[in-house]
Amino acid sequence: MFAYVVKRLIAGIVVLFLISAAVFLLFWYGPSAPAKPLCDRDTNNRCSNAKLAVYTENLGYNNPVYSEYGKYMKGIFAGREIVIGPTTYNCPAPCLGYSARTKVPVWGEMKDRLPATISVAVGGATLYLLFGVPIGVAAARRRGTVADKALVSSFLVLSSVPYYLFALLTWLYLTVIYEIPIFGNPGYVPITDNPAKWFEGLGLAWICLGIFGCTQYTRYSRGAMVEALSEDYIRTAKAKGLPPRTVVYKHGLRAALVPIVTIFGIDFGTLLAGTIFTEKIFEIQGIGFWSLQAVYGKDLPVVSATALFAAGVLIASNLMVDVIYSVLDPRVRLS
């Protein structure tokens, strides 16, 4: 297993390198001058060609892309100096650059925003697992009944609604129209500052993610459980006279969890990489909302950092899923 993990880590580093290089190439060879948004912002949309040339020179956009990319990679491990306009900034390692929009270190701002995204991801994932998997297992045990058909149909209709619309309508009705007190102040407050406000600010976001994710995991769990309960070893366990609960939860559920773990690993990694719609709608200053602002403002250092962070999280989550596979299913061996 150790050799397998090392191989996957090396492959992950190569993927991160390719992603960061691709982001640089997209900015350098994009349809518009990458320095213009910053020049427009600093000059109140009065960026002349002369001023644009100065910004392009200071930001290094007129240098060869491989030269600037080399400086960027060096800064991650050894730090570097960065020039933005007339100011030179000392950026210690790990240097992901200075935001061209806010003039603050990208690494520091990422660390400040990461707890909000983690809070949203953990809360939402916990809810849709706690409700989705048990409901799916219960539906599988009652396969073909009226309750099973009604549950699957209703969840299928709900999951057909786009998530951003579902979250927006939830926020509109519970926060704006009906002004329910517990959902009145969405946003992120650090749990160390005020646990009650932390829960109040994230509660509605968790409910939206939980309900929407629950519909999908109910269907995943039901399908996986129906397949597991039709296996020969389940019939053998029943023939031995084992209690139904033991057959379902000890033998059937363990096998059914294997595909669910795969999906959950990818979904949770995606949540950690940034819940853009959730953070935007509920005014949560996390990684997803930050990356959206960076794309609008063509802020290359932030876009590069969020892309690397998202890729790293997904690579790590997939590796963890593969390792957990071998624990859940003894037939799976990593090599």
Side-chain angles (χ1 to χ4, degrees):
M1 180 182 292
F2 177 75
Y4 173 82
V5 172
V6 172
K7 290 179 182 178
R8 287 293 299 271
L9 288 175
I10 294 174
I13 293 173
V14 173
V15 170
L16 291 176
F17 170 77
L18 294 175
I19 288 175
S20 61
V23 171
F24 261 75
L25 289 174
L26 287 174
F27 266 82
W28 244 257
Y29 300 107
S32 61
K36 196 170 189 313
L38 178 62
C39 182
D40 287 336
R41 189 161 48 244
D42 290 348
T43 59
N44 294 322
N45 293 321
R46 296 176 181 177
C47 182
S48 63
N49 291 334
K51 290 180 179 178
L52 179 60
V54 172
Y55 274 82
T56 302
E57 173 71 24
N58 290 338
L59 293 173
Y61 289 124
N62 59 345
N63 296 333
V65 63
Y66 62 83
S67 173
E68 290 300 312
Y69 181 69
K71 295 177 183 177
Y72 176 77
M73 294 303 294
K74 177 185 176 183
I76 294 178
F77 300 100
R80 61 185 174 123
E81 290 186 346
I82 299 175
V83 179
I84 302 180
T87 308
T88 300
Y89 298 92
N90 182 32
C91 184
C95 177
L96 296 175
Y98 266 69
S99 171
R101 184 172 56 89
T102 60
K103 309 294 194 308
V104 298
V106 172
W107 173 244
E109 192 167 359
M110 177 180 285
K111 289 193 297 183
D112 292 340
R113 292 174 179 269
L114 189 56
T117 297
I118 292 177
S119 297
V120 173
V122 171
T126 300
L127 285 181
Y128 61 60
L129 273 184
L130 284 178
F131 292 100
V133 174
I135 293 175
V137 172
R141 295 185 64 185
R142 296 162 179 80
R143 181 186 179 188
T145 63
V146 175
D148 174 39
K149 294 178 181 178
L151 187 66
V152 171
S153 300
S154 60
F155 276 18
L156 182 61
V157 171
L158 183 59
S159 62
S160 300
V161 180
Y163 173 72
Y164 67 86
L165 179 61
F166 176 77
L168 185 60
L169 290 176
T170 303
W171 169 80
L172 180 64
Y173 279 96
L174 297 184
T175 302
V176 178
I177 296 178
Y178 294 110
E179 298 181 354
I180 297 179
I182 194 174
F183 301 134
N185 297 303
Y188 175 73
V189 176
I191 190 172
T192 53
D193 292 349
N194 192 321
K197 288 190 176 295
W198 172 79
F199 183 84
E200 178 184 349
L202 298 175
L204 195 56
W206 290 341
I207 289 174
C208 286
L209 286 172
I211 292 176
F212 203 81
C214 175
T215 61
Q216 302 178 53
Y217 277 80
T218 295
R219 291 186 287 112
Y220 298 151
S221 304
R222 180 188 178 277
M225 198 65 184
V226 166
E227 183 178 353
L229 292 177
S230 63
E231 296 288 344
D232 291 338
Y233 66 87
I234 295 295
R235 287 192 289 269
T236 302
K238 292 179 180 178
K240 288 182 177 179
L242 294 178
R245 291 180 61 87
T246 302
V247 173
V248 171
Y249 294 105
K250 185 176 180 179
H251 298 284
L253 182 58
R254 183 173 181 177
L257 282 177
V258 173
I260 296 172
V261 166
T262 304
I263 300 168
F264 177 73
I266 297 173
D267 286 349
F268 188 66
T270 304
L271 287 177
L272 283 177
T275 51
I276 294 178
F277 291 123
T278 304
E279 293 177 8
K280 174 66 174 176
I281 292 172
F282 297 107
E283 300 178 359
I284 299 170
Q285 300 295 322
I287 299 293
F289 185 46
W290 187 42
S291 64
L292 185 64
Q293 291 175 317
V295 171
Y296 283 150
K298 297 183 179 179
D299 195 343
L300 174 58
V302 176
V303 172
S304 299
T306 53
L308 284 175
F309 174 75
V313 167
L314 289 174
I315 290 169
S317 62
N318 277 277
L319 178 58
M320 290 180 63
V321 165
D322 288 343
V323 174
I324 293 173
Y325 257 5
S326 63
V327 177
L328 290 176
D329 192 343
R331 296 171 297 179
V332 177
R333 287 293 177 264
L334 302 180
S335 60

